[in-house]
Amino acid sequence: MFEKILIANRGEIALRVIRAAKEMGIQTVAVHSTADSDAMHVRMADEAICIGPPSSNKSYLSIPAIISACEVTGAQAIHPGYGFLSENSKFVQIIEDHDLKFIGPTAQHIQIMGDKITAKETMRELGVPCVPGSPGEVDTLELANQIAEEIGYPIIIKATAGGGGRGMKVAASKSEMSDAFTTARSEANSNFGNPAVYLEKYLGTPRHIEIQVFGDGAGNAVYLGERDCSLQRRHQKVFEEAPGPTIDTVVRQNIGKVCAEAVASINYAGAGTIEFLYENGEFYFIEMNTRLQVEHPITEAIYGVDLVKEQIRVAAGLPMQLTQEKLKVNGHAIEVRINAEKLPNFSPCPGKITQFHAPGGLGVRLDSAIYDGYIIPPYYDSLIAKLIVHAEDRPAALSRLKRALGELIVDGVDTTIPLFNSLLGEEDIIKGNYNIHWLESWLDKS
Ligand code: ADP
């Protein structure tokens, strides 16, 4: 086992990894920008190293600074968290070249899944159901029109190098194709430095269902059920639950098995998430994330596992402790993402937290790196806390969420807490009756 690991991240996810490492008796190294000298992850780690100025490009995304921090502190492995360098295959290659260990999959797997066309091709070959679409890149309008006729409108045009919900254009009919296609390509080029786009059938009212998988890198893998993350704003998840309100045991087993077998057959190592759109009982693969997800705690809650400890164990070359027979769903879990944002426009609201009180009690988990007097810097993501509740069933989880939100106090900055209080009063939310467009149309109405 490693004696010391470095966490190449900040905020709640850095703390999450530090907690797992501490319980495993592993020393931790935090890295931070000059804007984060007072951050909680810096205080909680055994050692901390400043790696640059506030701008992420010069600190949390600086590969030389992070590798140097490892060399200076003697850390043997790097946990990337999510975001920043977590899906950067070049980073993984450099880590390996320095005889360090990356806590995550291989550079090759990250690369395959990072290119959406290659990812889709690979998944199709592995027997994972995909959205009908172009076989690969579509580089001319003629070809786009021809394929669109075959698949049928509406069509979504997506950037192969896209991510974070950006780089997608919808064409409802042939008359919209020319504009949508040209804009999609030029936006893909300016946003991601790669103009390549591909076509997919646009699904009207799907849910976003994702399957958590975990592999040992040696041909064994398990699935840990699904998460329903359909409540999204601008393709960003805001509320997630597990199990999915519309997924039963048989459906879970069938899709779970397909996913676990797919990743096992490529010797995938560590945690991964296979994302699907789900409509009329059919799953359609959209992408695979080769890292820990923000919403992983709801899976941990219902399966009673610690995914981060398992990631560290597998990266250290120890056998995976998860076995499919032992993984049984227990109850229901919900996560809400609390952002420092001002409603109704969700504009970022950095600043000083004048008062903070965390909720507690049975089945309540708050993953956060804020504290009384903390100043939220303006340079990073606006997520300040994840409130996760776990209870025996969905109605009990909703009641617990309402109760826990009532206890949570974050003063001094605007937050998205009022949004969740309102959502919990909505009939559709209470019934689990929503799809990926529900939240945006509700926000438009309210
Ligand atoms: P990203 O990597 O940018 O997050 P995804 O491929 O995961 O992109 O898609 C993000 C979101 O875009 C999905 O959750 C869904 O809301 C929407 N989307 C993607 N593909 C389709 C499709 N074929 N039909 C309808 N909506 C889609």
Side-chain angles (χ1 to χ4, degrees), residues 116 131 156 158 162-166 168 200-203 206 208 232 235 275 277 286-287 436:
K116 293 187 163 198
V131 193
I156 184 165
K158 299 167 82 169
R166 295 179 306 143
M168 290 176 276
E200 265 178 11
K201 179 155 191 62
Y202 179 76
L203 302 168
H208 173 114
Q232 303 182 357
H235 303 304
E275 296 192 337
L277 293 176
I286 46 172
E287 68 166 344
I436 60 168

Side-chain angles (χ1 to χ4, degrees), residues 80-399:
Y82 53 69
F84 293 129
L85 294 166
S86 62
E87 289 176 292
N88 183 320
S89 58
K90 196 175 111 202
F91 178 51
V92 178
Q93 196 55 59
I94 293 170
I95 290 174
E96 283 164 14
D97 293 345
H98 283 78
D99 285 329
L100 298 165
K101 201 82 192 126
F102 178 70
I103 302 174
T106 59
Q108 191 209 357
H109 287 151
I110 294 176
Q111 202 171 7
I112 292 173
M113 298 306 165
D115 180 278
K116 293 187 163 198
I117 292 178
T118 321
K120 215 174 150 183
E121 249 167 45
T122 309
M123 285 298 177
R124 193 182 287 119
E125 280 164 20
L126 294 171
V128 176
C130 295
V131 193
S134 57
E137 185 189 346
V138 176
D139 56 359
T140 63
L141 180 60
E142 292 69 44
L143 184 59
N145 279 325
Q146 187 194 322
I147 291 173
E149 285 306 324
E150 285 164 24
I151 308 168
Y153 287 93
I155 289 287
I156 184 165
I157 305 159
K158 299 167 82 169
T160 187
R166 295 179 306 143
M168 290 176 276
K169 284 273 167 292
V170 178
S173 64
K174 190 171 176 200
S175 62
E176 291 180 17
M177 196 58 171
S178 169
D179 261 8
F181 183 76
T182 317
T183 320
R185 270 179 71 84
S186 74
E187 283 188 10
N189 198 31
S190 52
N191 285 327
F192 313 110
N194 177 358
V197 296
Y198 63 105
L199 264 51
E200 265 178 11
K201 179 155 191 62
Y202 179 76
L203 302 168
T205 53
R207 298 179 81 108
H208 173 114
I209 305 281
E210 56 185 37
I211 307 293
Q212 175 74 54
V213 290
F214 203 101
D216 70 353
N220 303 297
V222 295
Y223 62 89
L224 295 97
E226 76 286 355
R227 295 181 285 258
D228 188 325
C229 313
S230 304
L231 287 175
Q232 303 182 357
R233 179 180 171 270
R234 300 204 173 155
H235 303 304
Q236 302 288 326
K237 300 162 187 168
V238 303
F239 172 114
E240 303 100 349
E241 58 182 315
T246 55
I247 306 293
D248 66 25
T249 311
V250 176
V251 173
R252 174 175 312 118
Q253 278 171 357
N254 289 344
I255 191 69
K257 217 161 156 262
V258 168
C259 291
E261 281 171 11
V263 295
S265 71
I266 57 169
N267 293 331
Y268 185 83
T273 297
I274 306 188
E275 296 192 337
F276 294 94
L277 293 176
Y278 180 68
E279 191 174 68
N280 299 328
E282 300 286 337
F283 285 93
Y284 302 98
F285 169 76
I286 46 172
E287 68 166 344
M288 176 166 182
N289 292 320
T290 50
R291 53 165 168 85
L292 198 67
Q293 304 263 113
V294 176
E295 58 274 22
H296 76 277
I298 54 176
T299 298
E300 295 187 321
I302 62 166
Y303 283 99
V305 298
D306 186 321
L307 288 169
V308 177
K309 284 186 184 169
E310 200 64 32
Q311 285 186 302
I312 296 172
R313 257 196 300 269
V314 166
L318 297 176
M320 177 167 76
Q321 289 196 335
L322 305 172
T323 59
Q324 201 65 63
E325 306 78 67
K326 285 200 212 136
L327 290 169
K328 297 272 181 285
V329 176
N330 171 25
H332 197 93
I334 304 175
E335 173 183 280
V336 293
R337 298 191 191 191
I338 294 160
N339 293 345
E341 288 172 352
K342 194 171 170 59
L343 299 171
N345 298 324
F346 295 83
S347 43
C349 192
K352 184 171 179 173
I353 293 174
T354 51
Q355 203 192 348
F356 169 60
H357 175 77
L362 185 64
V364 175
R365 167 176 172 180
L366 191 83
D367 276 21
S368 174
I370 62 170
Y371 54 85
D372 262 332
Y374 175 64
I375 298 172
I376 304 164
Y379 313 102
Y380 314 107
D381 194 273
S382 56
L383 179 80
I384 52 165
K386 305 187 309 201
L387 173 58
I388 302 109
V389 294
H390 180 218
E392 62 275 19
D393 56 22
R394 191 170 187 276
L398 287 168
S399 302

